[in-house]
């Protein structure tokens, strides 16, 4: 027996938002898959809002028109609902078989199937007075690399012209470690995939663009509200020894355990109801450990699924209309925040990594839903954005931003020895000859670092006391020209950081913006994993501890002060209404990629004396709620077709004379596993954990795939299990 995937208590969820699934008389098709009535978006307010945008796009309104009744009505509508907001969801699932996974840097962790699909969730927010807008996309991927951002911007320009550009597009990642990698144009990140995976790259880019297009098409008048609740049992500080080196005044902002418990939720209110949220909470998406081989969006993606699908009935496979609800669970300063509450991989609150994913995700949903009944602050004011590219390998940091008040420089990127030890609390394998802590390094590495520091006093001034292990900047293995962004929506400010920011580092970045803009600290958020990736940002005090996070702070002891200086400058430009120079961007590396042979399919054949789709292992005749149904099929390699907007499987219930879908490969309770049999045959194993509330009746499982011939043609295949009963 397995535990139900629907929590008995959603840890603070508003019970009114939960779909009831306990009645055995209730059809699983409704309310899970029956679309709710769609609100009509062509209201008078929407029409007036469109006129305002059109006028804003063509220039100032003539003085006679400003005094007209239409102009007065438009101004009134914009005041009542000052924004236009659109929402969109799209599939970004990459290669689900034979692709190295991104995050743990574990060569043995290659995908062998799919637990839940990866998705991108997009919000477009437009100031109805000026027409200025921002696009915020949160994708269930490990990182947003410059390669992805550049291609997304190019496709958005082809689709929307100059509507979206460098400054007003914010792309961020949930940082799941259970997604396929190989989509960076920097070689360091493609080591575990043995090269570049174009199919996963295109899946990531296309999904992000599709989500953005759907959000743009979904624009409607809206109010925006913000509320902050507290979530104390979904994270642990995995680098407490380093955190404790920070001044008491900094540590006073956080819990006794050194965790950031703030859960901040931006609520989109359209037609009088909340129909979308962006939640920011600091915790790594590493509930799934390095032992996992199934593609998964981890705890952040599960949180979005739980609210959208289980509570609001969103059917991801119904693309005939926009979803009725979009819940984006984004990251913030989560660099030292682990979901593994026992500070061991796959632990806390249980020893089951799947159950932990569900519990931590459920707790995030509970905290976000509590915001619906908590005091909220309505956002007022315009929409604005600034972005600069900064060469972090050589930044002169003014003394006002450094601990000793003296000017210092950053330097080319380098990893310390503790980087090779990995993050042992979250499952980064590491090598046993390396340990965290400045006194626990490898003596050979210390000799190398001492020699480098002797040869270059400037390197020592920047990187010391780090024991340099790998000068990745000099080897051109990582990105060093990095985008830093500041976005404003009303009086909420979001700092887009291209790295993993510790909680105290985030605090200092927030202070810099709050000071310049003259707002409260709670009106500024830091969003990590945004627009590019440059590993960690620690405070100088944390850096000196020599932990994994400090060893992965690439640009030396003064990296955070350099970022604070940059963010301070962005805020000053935003306040003054000026635009900073964009700065030199990272060069285009797309032409120099080496294609990986991982997951490449030459030919598919069925098992001997079988046809594609044949059942190799049939289900039992009957199951009870809580049991696991398992069926094996003779199939084909899933990388032939990633089946975006579709599914590798369905679980179907017989209702009258028809079969109705009750689950697919995007659901929590299903798992899709692939295994090579012999040279070219594929064994597909599909399991379904029968959830609580499943009605008694006749069921079947169907498999959908695509087979490649020796000549390269691909054709669709399918298989159907024998009928079984749920009693």
């Amino acid at each position: 027996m397995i535990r139900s995937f629907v929590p008995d208590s959603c840890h603070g969820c508003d019970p009114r938002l939960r779909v009831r699934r306990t009645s055995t008389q209730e059809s699983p098709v409704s309310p899970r898959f029956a679309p709710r009535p769609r609100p009509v978006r062509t209201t008078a307010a929407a029409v007036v809002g469109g006129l305002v945008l059109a006028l804003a796009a063509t220039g100032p309104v003539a003085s006679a028109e400003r005094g007209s009744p239409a102009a007065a009505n438009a101004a009134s509508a914009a005041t009542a609902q000052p924004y236009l907001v659109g929402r969109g969801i799209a599939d970004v699932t990459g290669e689900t078989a034979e692709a190295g996974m991104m995050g743990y840097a574990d060569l043995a962790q290659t995908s062998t199937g799919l637990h839940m699909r990866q998705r991108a969730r997009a919000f477009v927010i437009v100031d109805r007075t000026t027409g200025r807008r921002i696009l915020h996309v949160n994708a269930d991927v490990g990182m947003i690399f410059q390669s992805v951002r550049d291609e997304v911007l190019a496709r958005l320009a082809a689709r929307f012209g100059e509507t979206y550009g460098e400054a007003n597009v914010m792309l961020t990642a949930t940082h799941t470690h259970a997604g396929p990698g190989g989509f960076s144009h920097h070689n360091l990140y493609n080591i575990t995939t043995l090269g570049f995976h174009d199919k996963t790259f295109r899946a990531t880019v296309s999904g992000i663009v599709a989500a953005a297009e759907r959000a743009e098409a979904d624009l409607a008048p809206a109010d925006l509200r913000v509320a902050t609740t507290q979530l104390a049992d979904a994270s642990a500080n995995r680098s407490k020894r380093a955190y404790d080196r920070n001044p008491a005044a900094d540590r006073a902002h956080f819990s006794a355990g050194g965790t950031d418990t703030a859960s901040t939720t931006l609520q989109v209110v359209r037609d009088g109801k909340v129909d979308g949220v962006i939640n920011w909470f600091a915790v790594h998406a590493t509930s799934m450990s390095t032992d996992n081989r199934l593609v998964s969006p981890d705890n952040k993606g599960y949180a979005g699924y739980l609210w959208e699908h289980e509570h609001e009935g969103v059917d991801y496979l119904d693309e005939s209309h926009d979803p009725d609800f979009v819940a984006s669970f984004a990251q913030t300063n989560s660099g030292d925040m682990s979901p593994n509450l026992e500070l061991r991989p796959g632990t806390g609150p249980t020893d089951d990594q799947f159950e932990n994913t569900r519990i931590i995700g459920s707790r995030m949903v509970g905290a976000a839903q509590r915001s619906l009944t908590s005091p909220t602050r309505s956002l007022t004011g315009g929409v604005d954005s600034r972005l600069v590219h900064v060469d972090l390998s050589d930044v002169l940091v003014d003394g006002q931003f450094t601990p000793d008040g003296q000017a210092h420089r950053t330097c080319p990127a380098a990893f310390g020895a503790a980087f090779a030890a990995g993050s042992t609390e979250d499952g980064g394998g590491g090598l046993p000859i390396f340990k965290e802590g400045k006194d626990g390094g490898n003596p050979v590495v210390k000799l190398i670092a001492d020699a480098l520091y002797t040869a270059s006093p400037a390197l020592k001034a920047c990187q010391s006391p780090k024991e340099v292990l790998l000068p990745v900047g000099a080897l051109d293995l990582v990105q060093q020209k990095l985008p830093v962004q500041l976005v404003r929506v009303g009086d909420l400010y979001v700092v887009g950081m291209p790295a993993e920011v510790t909680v105290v580092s985030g605090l200092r970045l927030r202070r810099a913006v709050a000071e310049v803009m003259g707002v409260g600290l709670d009106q500024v958020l830091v969003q990590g994993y945004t627009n590019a990736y440059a590993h960690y940002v620690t405070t100088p005090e944390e850096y000196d501890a020599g932990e994994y996070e400090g060893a992965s702070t690439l640009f030396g002891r003064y990296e955070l002060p350099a970022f604070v200086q940059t963010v301070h400058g962005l805020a000053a430009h935003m306040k003054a209404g000026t635009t900073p120079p964009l700065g030199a961007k990272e060069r285009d590396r797309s032409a120099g990629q080496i294609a990986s042979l991982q997951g490449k399919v030459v030919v598919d054949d069925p098992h001997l004396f079988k046809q594609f789709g044949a059942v190799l292992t049939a289900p039992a005749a009957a199951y009870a709620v809580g049991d696991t149904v398992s069926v094996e099929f003779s199939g084909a390699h899933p990388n032939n077709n990633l089946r975006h907007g579709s599914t590798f499987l369905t679980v179907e219930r017989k209702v009258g004379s028809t079969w109705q879908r009750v689950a697919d490969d995007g659901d929590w309770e299903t798992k899709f596993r692939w295994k090579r049999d012999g040279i070219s045959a594929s064994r597909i194993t599909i399991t379904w954990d029968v959830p609580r509330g499943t009605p008694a009746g006749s069921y079947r499982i169907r498999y959908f795939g695509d087979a490649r011939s020796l000549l390269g043609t691909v054709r669709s295949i399918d298989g159907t299990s024998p009928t079984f009963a749920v009693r």
Side-chain angles (χ1 to χ4, degrees):
M1 300 283 285
I2 63 161
R3 293 184 64 181
S4 168
F5 72 98
V6 178
D8 295 326
S9 169
C10 198
H11 217 78
C13 294
D14 185 340
R16 295 169 297 176
L17 297 175
R18 298 186 63 201
V19 174
R20 293 185 304 144
R21 308 244 345 249
T22 57
S23 171
T24 57
Q25 301 303 312
E26 182 180 43
S27 168
V29 178
S30 176
R32 294 183 68 193
F33 296 113
R36 298 186 306 173
R38 296 289 295 162
V40 178
R41 298 301 184 195
T42 54
T43 60
V47 173
V48 172
L51 290 173
V52 171
L53 280 180
L55 291 171
T58 56
V61 181
S63 59
E65 294 172 332
R66 289 195 190 103
S68 69
N73 291 338
S76 176
T79 301
Q81 292 179 296
Y83 305 101
L84 295 177
V85 179
R87 315 141 309 139
I89 303 176
D91 196 336
V92 294
T93 308
E95 291 154 285
T96 57
E98 295 187 300
M101 290 174 144
M102 183 76 246
Y104 290 122
D106 186 344
L107 283 165
Q109 191 190 22
T110 57
S111 56
T112 60
L114 176 66
H115 181 210
M116 294 179 68
R117 285 192 171 265
Q118 302 166 270
R119 305 194 188 277
R121 294 169 171 88
F123 286 81
V124 172
I125 301 175
V126 184
D127 176 3
R128 296 176 67 186
T129 300
T130 65
R132 288 182 177 175
R133 69 186 60 204
I134 60 130
L135 168 63
H136 182 283
V137 184
N138 183 34
D140 291 329
V141 297
M143 295 86 170
I144 295 294
F145 293 112
Q146 187 74 46
S147 56
V148 170
R149 177 174 169 82
D150 285 346
E151 184 63 20
V152 167
L153 289 176
R155 294 195 193 182
L156 290 176
R159 176 70 174 81
F160 298 108
E162 297 182 355
T163 301
Y164 296 104
E166 288 279 357
N168 69 345
V169 173
M170 177 174 271
L171 305 182
T172 186
T174 61
H175 198 47
T176 175
H177 286 38
F183 53 95
S184 174
H185 285 168
H186 284 84
N187 293 329
L188 179 72
Y189 308 109
N190 296 340
I191 291 175
T192 59
T193 57
L194 306 183
F196 181 68
H197 279 239
D198 184 62
K199 185 166 285 189
T200 292
F201 173 80
R202 286 186 283 112
T204 304
V205 170
S206 297
I208 290 173
V209 173
E213 291 174 337
R214 292 169 187 173
E216 177 74 21
D218 183 59
L219 285 169
D223 293 310
L224 295 174
R225 303 170 187 168
V226 175
T228 299
T229 56
Q230 299 299 313
L231 179 55
D233 56 356
S235 63
N237 194 314
R238 72 182 196 188
S239 190
K240 187 66 163 46
R241 192 172 73 89
Y243 167 87
D244 285 341
R245 296 175 67 96
N246 291 301
D250 288 346
R251 290 183 277 115
H253 285 266
F254 303 102
S255 72
T259 59
D260 186 349
T261 61
S263 172
T264 302
T265 305
L266 175 66
Q267 305 168 8
V268 178
V269 183
R270 306 196 306 184
D271 295 327
K273 71 179 185 68
V274 177
D275 64 3
V277 298
I278 305 175
N279 173 267
W280 289 272
F281 177 70
V283 68
H284 259 68
T286 51
S287 291
M288 302 299 295
S289 75
T290 189
D291 296 329
N292 171 60
R293 301 290 187 271
L294 299 182
V295 171
S296 166
D298 212 286
N299 49 48
K300 293 279 186 181
Y302 175 75
Y305 163 86
L306 178 62
W307 198 339
E308 293 164 351
H309 183 71
E310 295 300 310
H311 296 174
E312 294 290 341
V314 171
D315 180 2
Y316 300 111
L317 297 187
D318 182 1
E319 296 184 347
S320 63
H321 67 271
D322 296 323
D324 292 310
F325 198 90
V326 177
S328 175
F329 284 82
Q331 288 287 8
T332 176
N333 38 224
S334 57
D336 47 359
M337 297 292 100
S338 172
N340 297 311
L341 304 184
E342 304 299 326
L343 294 179
R344 299 189 312 277
T347 64
T350 77
D351 290 331
D352 182 330
Q353 59 185 328
F354 288 94
E355 183 69 358
N356 292 341
T357 299
R358 184 191 66 78
I359 292 172
I360 297 298
S362 297
R363 289 177 178 178
M364 282 191 279
V365 171
Q369 288 186 350
R370 286 198 298 274
S371 76
L372 303 184
T373 55
S374 299
T376 61
R377 175 171 56 86
S378 293
L379 295 186
T380 57
V383 172
D384 208 353
S385 55
R386 298 288 187 276
L387 182 143
V388 293
H389 290 268
V390 182
D391 186 352
L392 262 293
S393 70
D394 187 19
V395 174
L396 178 61
V397 187
D398 189 272
Q400 68 171 308
F401 302 106
T402 63
D404 61 4
Q406 302 298 311
H408 293 278
R409 281 194 179 275
T410 60
C411 53
F415 283 115
F419 164 76
S423 172
T424 55
E425 299 86 359
D426 276 353
L431 299 173
I433 60 173
F434 298 103
K435 299 187 183 300
E436 292 189 85
K438 65 180 182 179
D439 297 322
N442 186 300
V444 175
V445 175
K446 185 178 187 305
L447 289 174
I448 296 172
D450 288 345
L452 289 171
Y453 287 162
T454 300
S456 175
L459 181 66
K460 181 176 182 179
C462 170
Q463 293 281 4
S464 180
K466 179 193 292 180
E467 295 176 353
V468 174
L469 171 67
L470 189 62
V472 288
L475 297 173
D476 196 28
L477 294 175
V478 300
Q479 183 171 346
Q480 299 190 102
K481 296 175 181 176
L482 295 159
V484 183
Q485 188 175 30
L486 178 62
V487 163
R488 172 197 171 203
V489 179
D491 51 5
L492 177 68
Y493 297 84
V494 182
V495 180
M497 286 289 293
E500 310 191 39
V501 183
T502 64
V503 293
V504 177
S505 295
L507 174 66
R508 295 182 188 179
L509 290 161
R510 292 166 58 208
R511 281 175 176 158
V513 173
E515 175 188 325
V516 174
M517 304 308 299
V519 299
L521 196 60
D522 61 341
Q523 293 172 254
V524 185
L525 294 170
V526 166
Q527 182 159 291
Y529 313 97
T530 298
N531 297 324
Y533 185 68
H535 294 267
Y536 282 78
V537 179
T538 55
T539 68
E541 296 88 343
E542 293 165 347
Y543 183 89
D544 292 348
E547 299 285 305
Y548 169 77
E549 293 80 8
S552 302
T553 297
L554 297 181
F555 303 100
R557 191 173 190 270
Y558 303 99
E559 178 180 311
L560 173 62
F563 275 121
V564 171
Q565 176 176 275
T566 301
V567 168
H568 188 277
L570 285 174
H573 276 287
M574 184 174 285
K575 186 172 185 178
T578 55
T579 302
L582 182 63
K585 283 186 63 174
E586 184 78 5
R587 65 180 175 86
D588 181 4
R589 300 163 182 265
S590 56
Q593 299 307 303
I594 301 174
S596 175
L597 295 179
Q598 262 192 348
K600 184 176 177 61
V601 186
V602 177
V603 63
D604 290 292
D605 288 309
H607 287 77
L608 192 62
F609 306 124
K610 300 287 186 181
Q611 294 182 336
F612 285 119
V615 175
L616 302 178
T617 302
Y623 296 89
V625 168
D627 289 344
T628 298
V629 182
S630 180
V631 187
E632 292 185 337
F633 295 92
S634 180
H637 204 293
N639 290 356
N640 290 325
N641 183 352
L642 303 183
R643 304 190 73 80
H644 283 189
S646 184
T647 180
F648 288 113
L649 66 94
T650 56
V651 180
E652 299 174 354
R653 178 186 176 223
K654 193 168 187 179
V655 179
S657 60
T658 64
W659 289 93
Q660 296 186 0
R661 170 171 55 93
V662 300
D664 54 69
D665 68 7
D667 280 297
W668 173 260
E669 66 263 33
T670 62
K671 295 184 179 69
F672 173 89
R673 291 182 171 88
W674 169 90
K675 182 182 178 182
R676 174 75 71 201
D677 274 359
I679 297 175
S680 55
S682 292
R683 181 177 296 267
I684 304 297
T685 303
I686 296 172
T687 60
W688 178 46
D689 299 335
V690 184
R692 188 181 67 236
T694 299
S698 296
Y699 291 81
R700 69 183 186 184
I701 291 177
R702 300 192 67 195
Y703 157 66
F704 303 94
D706 299 87
R708 180 180 295 274
S709 74
L710 193 57
L711 297 178
T713 59
V714 176
R715 66 180 180 91
S716 39
I717 60 174
D718 62 84
T720 304
S721 78
T723 301
F724 57 90
V726 173
R727 296 173 178 167

